[in-house]
Amino acid sequence: MSHIIKKSGLLIIGLIAGIMISLNFSAIAKKDPVEAVHPLPIEELRTFAQVFGRIKSDYVESVEDKKLITEAINGMLVGLDPHSSYLDKDEYKELQIGTQGEFGGLGIQVTMEDGVVKVISPIEDTPAFRAGIKTGDLIVKLDDKVVKGMTLNDAIKMMRGKPKTSIKITIVREGESDPLIFNLVRDIIKIQSVKSKMIEPGYAYIRITQFQEQTGENLAQAINTLFSQNKGDMKGLILDLRNDPGGLLNGAVAVSAAFLPENALVVYTEGRSVDAKMKLHASPEHYLRGSDVDFLKGLPQEAKTVPMITLVNGGSASASEIVAGALQDHKRSIVMGSQTFGKGSVQTILPLGNNTAIKLTTARYYTPNGQSIQAKGITPDIKDETDTGDEERLRESDLNRHLSNGKTDKKKSPASMDPAIQIEKAIQETSGETKEEKAKAKKNKKPLEFGSEDDQLLVQAMNYFKGIKTTPKKKSDKNEKTES
């Protein structure tokens, strides 16, 4: 038996070494000639082979080689940072579909920390959003299965499914003594990337819910419509990026370019490889993707000069932070709201063949003035006086293994939200129907509809435009509206 293990171990080392050598040559070709070539970690590969062999020979059940190798790849990527991951065939396909604005599921942007699925942001107009799922919620059970021990991909697969099928989600929420139970019905998620309206004559409102392939084109249509509807001079434009989890980089560049002077620097990136070092400007070659038609050409010139306010909160991440940072640095727009999420890293999709890929963090974003967004976010010029839960909201800096900013200290999550404590509590407290009924009564608060009459930050922005010095009304317990 030991002879077989030793032999299989040597074969595995040879296989892995061959793969690493080929990858090493590929990486070296992209790097500067002066960069040193690191030798293969033979001892670590030998240990890997020994573990692989022991599992194959001694584990209580037979395990396929494919499963073991796939899990090893998952482990390598998950151990790097919260946003690097391995994409199997289904996940790779879902990623490609998702950027087009239509996919199946519940409508939640999530990450994994300490074995718990954390909600980054619910997507507007989806089952999760309508049910009242909030940023920072900890998902501890899916149906009757405890999330602890699952991979993020496994948890996501459980949440996906055919439209009109249901799933029970158990959530632990800061400030709630008992876990909350949501019975959600899956649906086809169709995201309307750009929403717009005239608030009143002279004041326009544009909301971007997510950055997709058509976001720049949809924004151009919205701007043309709004300016044609307004019969007089446009006095102010509000760009709402709250709870926008990000999306495609070229979409962020396009949105920024709609309001900035031509060729203005929007964002730049810094990474180890040559390809990871980019400077993206407000020019067609940096926001057009697979099209020769410049959808921003012909926009009203007033769109680049009208007074602007950009609304952000802790759910504004990635591409939305790029836009807010660019408009702020160029002094094109006042940024109003709460500190943003702080996801300032670039994920590159690297196909591996067989319709699989890895999503790998390859660079950091920087605003035009050289500020790193990573684990810090965008600091608003004017704080949202109504956002009383800002300090407790989950952000990038709360995630384990988050990429450092290089200048800021790591922020620790409140002790009361320690995942291990919350998981045990949730498992113990969700065993009976009485607990479920009790939890339902606590989760009936509807999420705030951004852009509605109850949107106090929008009121604050309009007051700023009009020069009205008033203190925005605080949320009351009787008529509380909660940002999801």
Side-chain angles (χ1 to χ4, degrees):
M1 180 64 71
S2 62
H3 175 70
I4 295 174
I5 294 173
K6 183 176 180 180
K7 184 177 180 179
S8 64
L10 291 173
L11 289 173
I12 294 165
I13 290 177
L15 175 62
I16 296 173
I19 294 171
M20 293 187 68
I21 288 170
S22 80
L23 291 175
N24 210 26
F25 279 130
S26 175
I28 292 168
K30 296 181 180 180
K31 295 181 181 294
D32 295 332
V34 296
E35 185 170 339
V37 179
H38 297 288
L40 293 174
I42 299 299
E43 288 300 321
E44 286 75 13
L45 289 176
R46 182 177 289 110
T47 300
F48 175 86
Q50 289 173 343
V51 172
F52 186 95
R54 282 297 181 184
I55 294 172
K56 291 294 293 180
S57 63
D58 296 349
Y59 187 65
V60 65
E61 294 178 349
S62 177
V63 186
E64 293 182 356
D65 293 351
K66 180 180 178 181
K67 175 178 173 58
L68 290 177
I69 296 296
T70 299
E71 292 300 331
I73 294 171
N74 273 325
M76 279 194 291
L77 290 161
V78 169
L80 296 174
D81 66 81
H83 308 294
S84 294
S85 62
Y86 173 70
L87 305 174
D88 62 20
K89 291 181 180 180
D90 293 336
E91 291 156 352
Y92 191 23
K93 183 178 180 181
E94 285 291 333
L95 177 68
Q96 293 169 318
I97 293 173
T99 60
Q100 298 170 7
E102 181 174 326
F103 54 93
L106 301 174
I108 318 176
Q109 297 279 344
V110 295
T111 188
M112 177 73 81
E113 182 179 0
D114 292 335
V116 182
V117 175
K118 279 190 174 182
V119 177
I120 294 178
S121 180
I123 301 172
E124 213 165 290
D125 298 328
T126 64
F129 181 87
R130 290 190 290 268
I133 303 293
K134 297 181 180 180
T135 297
D137 282 348
L138 301 176
I139 300 176
V140 294
K141 271 188 177 182
L142 295 170
D143 284 330
D144 294 322
K145 294 185 178 179
V146 178
V147 172
K148 185 73 172 179
M150 291 185 188
T151 65
L152 180 60
N153 289 339
D154 288 340
I156 291 174
K157 284 180 179 179
M158 281 198 67
M159 288 187 280
R160 290 173 179 160
K162 293 182 179 180
K164 307 306 178 185
T165 60
S166 62
I167 183 172
K168 182 171 70 174
I169 297 181
T170 302
I171 279 176
V172 170
R173 178 176 295 167
E174 176 73 359
E176 298 286 354
S177 58
D178 299 320
L180 306 179
I181 296 177
F182 296 81
N183 288 294
L184 303 181
V185 178
R186 299 179 180 91
D187 201 355
I188 295 295
I189 308 301
K190 296 182 179 179
I191 301 173
Q192 184 181 349
S193 177
V194 179
K195 303 178 180 180
S196 62
K197 66 178 181 178
M198 293 298 299
I199 301 174
E200 59 183 71
Y203 295 95
Y205 173 85
I206 297 176
R207 170 153 177 76
I208 299 178
T209 60
Q210 192 170 356
F211 290 85
Q212 302 165 354
E213 289 182 359
Q214 304 300 320
T215 296
E217 189 172 354
N218 293 341
L219 173 66
Q221 293 171 356
I223 291 174
N224 284 324
T225 299
L226 291 170
F227 277 81
S228 64
Q229 287 177 349
N230 190 58
K231 297 180 179 180
D233 292 334
M234 192 72 79
K235 300 175 184 177
L237 187 151
I238 295 173
L239 178 64
D240 193 348
L241 301 177
R242 287 173 294 176
N243 278 17
D244 183 334
L248 297 178
L249 178 57
N250 69 299
V253 177
V255 171
S256 302
F259 304 110
L260 291 175
E262 189 175 356
N263 294 321
L265 179 63
V266 174
V267 64
Y268 69 92
T269 64
E270 291 287 347
R272 294 176 62 198
S273 70
V274 175
D275 293 341
K277 298 177 181 179
M278 300 184 295
K279 286 190 176 182
L280 301 178
H281 297 83
S283 56
E285 60 266 28
H286 289 162
Y287 58 75
L288 292 182
R289 185 173 178 177
S291 172
D292 296 329
V293 180
D294 184 2
F295 44 77
L296 296 184
K297 187 176 182 180
L299 284 181
Q301 189 59 35
E302 197 178 355
K304 295 185 182 291
T305 59
V306 61
M308 278 186 69
I309 292 177
T310 301
L311 305 182
V312 298
N313 68 357
S316 306
S318 194
S320 55
E321 294 177 287
I322 289 174
V323 174
L327 297 178
Q328 185 182 57
D329 280 7
H330 286 291
K331 301 188 185 304
R332 176 64 187 88
S333 172
I334 294 291
V335 176
M336 181 181 291
S338 308
Q339 192 80 12
T340 60
F341 185 78
K343 184 187 176 296
S345 59
V346 184
Q347 279 70 50
T348 303
I349 305 301
L350 303 173
L352 299 177
N354 296 323
N355 295 319
T356 64
I358 61 172
K359 183 171 67 171
L360 189 67
T361 300
T362 56
R364 290 181 176 88
Y365 290 122
Y366 293 87
T367 69
N369 286 351
Q371 297 299 312
S372 173
I373 298 171
Q374 177 59 24
K376 182 177 183 293
I378 300 297
T379 302
D381 301 301
I382 301 175
K383 183 177 174 57
D384 179 5
E385 300 295 339
T386 68
D387 192 357
T388 56
D390 177 51
E391 293 300 323
E392 289 76 31
R393 185 178 278 121
L394 173 75
R395 289 187 170 84
E396 175 81 7
S397 57
D398 295 317
L399 305 179
N400 281 347
R401 299 181 301 276
H402 69 266
L403 192 66
S404 69
N405 175 276
K407 298 178 182 179
T408 56
D409 295 327
K410 293 183 179 181
K411 176 184 172 184
K412 295 182 179 179
S413 299
S416 60
M417 287 298 287
D418 181 276
I421 297 174
Q422 299 290 358
I423 292 169
E424 293 302 321
K425 181 179 178 182
I427 294 172
Q428 293 171 6
E429 295 184 348
T430 56
S431 57
E433 288 298 320
T434 55
K435 287 292 182 182
E436 182 174 344
E437 292 172 0
K438 186 178 179 181
K440 283 181 180 179
K442 289 191 173 186
K443 70 172 181 63
N444 285 331
K445 297 174 184 176
K446 294 183 179 180
L448 170 68
E449 181 184 349
F450 293 121
S452 68
E453 294 181 356
D454 295 324
D455 188 344
Q456 289 299 306
L457 185 59
L458 181 59
V459 173
Q460 187 178 342
M462 288 295 291
N463 287 342
Y464 183 87
F465 272 140
K466 297 177 179 180
I468 302 174
K469 296 181 179 179
T470 60
T471 302
K473 184 174 65 175
K474 301 258 182 169
K475 299 173 186 175
S476 65
D477 293 333
K478 183 178 179 180
N479 188 28
E480 183 175 1
K481 300 288 183 178
T482 306
E483 290 187 6
S484 172

